[in-house]
Amino acid sequence: MEINGVHACWFILALVAKFGWCNIALNKPTHSSTDYDGKSSSSHAVDGNLDAVRGHSSCFTSSATSPWWMVDLQGNYRITSVSIQRRSDGYEYRLRDLAIVAFREDPQQNPSTATITCTEKTGTLGAMDTLSCDQPVVARFVKIQYLPIFTEILTLCEVQINGDICSRDTTQCTNTAIDIVQGMYIVVESVDKRIANDSTQGDCTNKCYREHKCHGFNFNQDSKTCELVLKTPTQIVSDAGSVCSVMPSCFLLCNGVSVNIC
């Protein structure tokens, strides 16, 4: 049976609905310490290939002093467990004493971002071991590394992460929760903004609240033009005719539960 296009989407959704499991790490961007050789790539750990023979170019391996591997889930998720497949062609004893930690920001870009512990595993892992978080964590980046007491070559043949997508909890938003700045403008590329033809500043505010990708807005008081900013603001400049605001992003709705991440 061939499954492609829309049919594949419905097939996957049906499996998730039936079995209650979805691998949110599949084919997501990855980062790592130095690859061991040409047969190794950090992306091999999330390619869906369960071939656990390292020589078949289906695993990630690093022999760095403190080896690590990390996946960018490209959004905040409520993470409940991480499944790790070890290599099957020898050296199984190496994969042991692991820490699974998570971050809401890229720790490579922001080293001061908070580290959230999912769980720690002492002892050797099984062929495919599912490690449940001590409690669900809300994060975007998931990192696997050895515990400080143990250093060894790290090989991961597949990593699967179970979790639920989170979105902004608009029930926590009120007009008094934001800071309107007069005479300022958020600089944003045209590809990262959307024009909303609202006639009032209040309409612009409400539309941004209800757009989960909106990080802020510019409202021109003369032309009555509303610009929704669809990317995290990095530069704000003076503009006498504008007002701007950066949306609060403290509250996320994850699997029906409101989570304060600030």
Side-chain angles (χ1 to χ4, degrees):
M1 179 179 65
E2 181 180 359
I3 301 175
N4 52 45
V6 174
H7 296 93
C9 293
W10 282 111
F11 179 73
I12 292 170
L13 288 173
L15 287 177
V16 172
K18 181 176 181 179
F19 297 106
W21 186 89
C22 181
N23 177 19
I24 58 177
L26 184 64
N27 294 322
K28 296 293 178 66
T30 55
H31 309 274
S32 69
S33 52
T34 307
D35 290 344
Y36 182 72
D37 58 16
K39 293 185 170 103
S40 172
S41 170
S42 62
S43 64
H44 290 167
V46 292
D47 61 4
N49 182 1
L50 297 181
D51 184 346
V53 177
R54 203 193 82 81
H56 294 172
S57 299
S58 59
C59 303
F60 160 73
T61 299
S62 177
S63 60
T65 302
S66 299
W68 58 273
W69 175 92
M70 185 171 71
V71 61
D72 177 1
L73 299 175
Q74 299 183 303
N76 282 299
Y77 286 81
R78 178 180 176 271
I79 300 162
T80 54
S81 66
V82 177
S83 298
I84 301 174
Q85 183 186 38
R86 73 182 187 199
R87 65 185 297 181
S88 62
D89 55 343
Y91 303 101
E92 291 90 346
Y93 65 88
R94 286 178 174 167
L95 194 60
R96 66 183 192 271
D97 298 344
L98 293 179
I100 301 176
V101 295
F103 310 89
R104 291 177 183 139
E105 297 181 61
D106 187 347
Q108 300 175 105
Q109 302 296 324
N110 180 13
S112 64
T113 189
T115 301
I116 309 168
T117 299
C118 165
T119 192
E120 295 181 351
K121 164 72 175 180
T122 56
T124 305
L125 273 71
M128 174 68 90
D129 221 334
T130 297
L131 308 178
S132 296
C133 294
D134 299 333
Q135 60 182 14
V137 301
V138 175
R140 170 173 171 171
F141 298 86
V142 177
K143 185 177 183 180
I144 298 174
Q145 59 194 16
Y146 283 120
L147 292 169
I149 60 172
F150 182 67
T151 299
E152 180 61 273
I153 293 175
L154 178 65
T155 297
L156 306 171
C157 289
E158 195 69 19
V159 177
Q160 301 174 343
I161 300 177
N162 186 24
D164 305 297
I165 186 65
C166 299
S167 59
R168 178 184 295 154
D169 185 0
T170 57
T171 65
Q172 300 289 341
C173 295
T174 64
N175 287 345
T176 59
I178 65 171
D179 184 19
I180 301 293
V181 182
Q182 297 283 343
M184 302 298 287
Y185 179 84
I186 301 172
V187 178
V188 62
E189 298 292 335
S190 58
V191 69
D192 296 320
K193 68 181 178 182
R194 180 160 59 83
I195 304 299
N197 294 318
D198 295 310
S199 58
T200 69
Q201 180 179 303
D203 290 340
C204 188
T205 302
N206 291 331
K207 185 157 288 187
C208 190
Y209 272 135
R210 285 160 179 75
E211 168 62 64
H212 76 277
K213 292 182 179 180
C214 185
H215 292 266
F217 67 84
N218 296 310
F219 183 74
N220 188 291
Q221 295 172 308
D222 297 323
S223 64
K224 308 300 182 185
T225 301
C226 174
E227 291 180 353
L228 302 183
V229 178
L230 306 180
K231 185 178 181 181
T232 303
T234 58
Q235 184 181 11
I236 301 177
V237 299
S238 297
D239 186 330
S242 295
V243 299
C244 75
S245 176
V246 177
M247 288 290 104
S249 56
C250 287
F251 291 95
L252 296 177
L253 194 63
C254 308
N255 196 29
V257 178
S258 184
V259 180
N260 187 339
I261 65 171
C262 293

